[in-house]
Amino acid sequence: DSVKNPLDWFQLLKKENCIQLILYYKKADKNEFGPEYNLAGFAGGAGTWLIETNFGKYSHYWQKRWQVTDKDAVDNKIWGVNYARTVENFDPTNQQLDIQEMKSKFTKTIKELINFCIQQDLKSWLETFEKADKILIDQTPNKLYYHQDLVVTKNYTLPAQQLLFGAATAWVFGGMGWWNDMGFDDKEVQEKYLRLSEQVYEQIIQAIIATTNS
């Protein structure tokens, strides 16, 4: 059945005996253009985010479609988002990650990135990672992030909020001029840069999953 707003969709899922909604992420397939974090800033370059509606022994999966529905909106909310059930009666995946464990790993990576930026005199990126580091211990982490309404904070523990807003702040993957658009002549420095880039990218993805599904 087609419904026009999320509340109606929730009612439909309840009627169908859906147990829970889960965020699901599928990595992009490998290709000759490089690792996923190098392509994430381009349309179709990253992996796929789906909503998993779990019914116990099976799940349905829903995929989004963004469209400009009101290009002249005075509040700049020009986009409309529709979800379609693209996979039915599939095995549940129920991606779950431990918040504290994920936060500990992510904090360690951010501190490594801070040290790397200091050593390589990358001042603008240093500021980004220092802000992420600050958010990871802040008591009101959403206040330090541009989209303060990214989640309904009362529904999440403080560590989960810190992890999500810290990870969102550390997103440095785009096109020309972004973090992943650099290179270093020194082989050891280049290898460390590539390792840290892949590491923080994967952990940002994991942090989003961990928080949303907590």
Side-chain angles (χ1 to χ4, degrees):
D1 295 335
S2 176
V3 294
K4 294 184 177 181
N5 65 68
L7 291 179
D8 289 343
W9 184 52
F10 295 152
Q11 288 296 328
L12 178 62
L13 292 174
K14 184 178 180 180
K15 184 179 178 182
E16 294 177 343
N17 296 318
C18 176
I19 296 173
Q20 63 181 149
L21 274 66
I22 305 160
L23 185 63
Y24 171 78
Y25 185 76
K26 180 181 181 297
K27 288 184 177 181
D29 295 330
K30 291 183 178 180
N31 60 64
E32 70 273 19
F33 298 109
E36 184 177 318
Y37 67 82
N38 267 346
L39 305 174
F42 302 96
T48 303
W49 293 97
L50 301 174
I51 295 176
E52 176 184 351
T53 49
N54 179 267
F55 293 83
K57 294 183 179 180
Y58 65 92
S59 289
H60 301 322
Y61 294 81
W62 301 71
Q63 189 162 8
K64 64 187 179 301
R65 182 179 66 173
W66 287 68
Q67 291 178 299
V68 176
T69 51
D70 188 2
K71 64 183 180 64
D72 299 317
V74 293
D75 59 1
N76 294 321
K77 295 182 178 180
I78 67 173
W79 294 94
V81 187
N82 294 317
Y83 276 82
R85 192 165 69 188
T86 55
V87 178
E88 298 182 346
N89 301 317
F90 202 75
D91 291 339
T93 52
N94 194 10
Q95 292 182 350
Q96 301 280 351
L97 294 164
D98 183 80
I99 292 288
Q100 292 292 356
E101 181 182 346
M102 194 62 242
K103 187 183 171 190
S104 177
K105 288 167 58 179
F106 186 65
T107 299
K108 183 179 178 181
T109 296
I110 290 297
K111 292 189 182 303
E112 280 192 85
L113 284 161
I114 288 172
N115 289 332
F116 182 86
C117 288
I118 291 172
Q119 292 164 2
Q120 302 305 318
D121 196 27
L122 303 171
K123 293 180 181 178
S124 61
W125 297 118
L126 174 61
E127 292 175 2
T128 297
F129 295 127
E130 284 182 333
K131 183 177 181 181
D133 190 48
K134 181 180 180 182
I135 288 175
L136 285 166
I137 58 172
D138 198 272
Q139 295 302 299
T140 53
N142 65 310
K143 301 298 183 184
L144 300 177
Y145 187 66
Y146 182 79
H147 297 291
Q148 296 187 13
D149 59 350
L150 187 61
V151 292
V152 180
T153 54
K154 68 178 182 179
N155 293 340
Y156 296 87
T157 65
L158 180 58
Q161 294 178 49
Q162 291 168 333
L163 178 59
L164 179 65
F165 288 106
T169 299
W171 179 267
V172 292
F173 303 96
M176 188 178 296
W178 284 70
W179 169 268
N180 49 299
D181 190 39
M182 296 191 296
F184 300 88
D185 293 331
D186 186 292
K187 182 181 178 182
E188 287 188 10
V189 174
Q190 177 69 8
E191 288 178 351
K192 187 173 185 179
Y193 159 71
L194 294 175
R195 175 181 65 81
L196 286 172
S197 296
E198 183 172 14
Q199 192 170 306
V200 73
Y201 177 81
E202 290 185 353
Q203 289 180 5
I204 288 172
I205 299 297
Q206 292 168 357
I208 296 169
I209 294 169
T211 301
T212 306
N213 292 341
S214 66

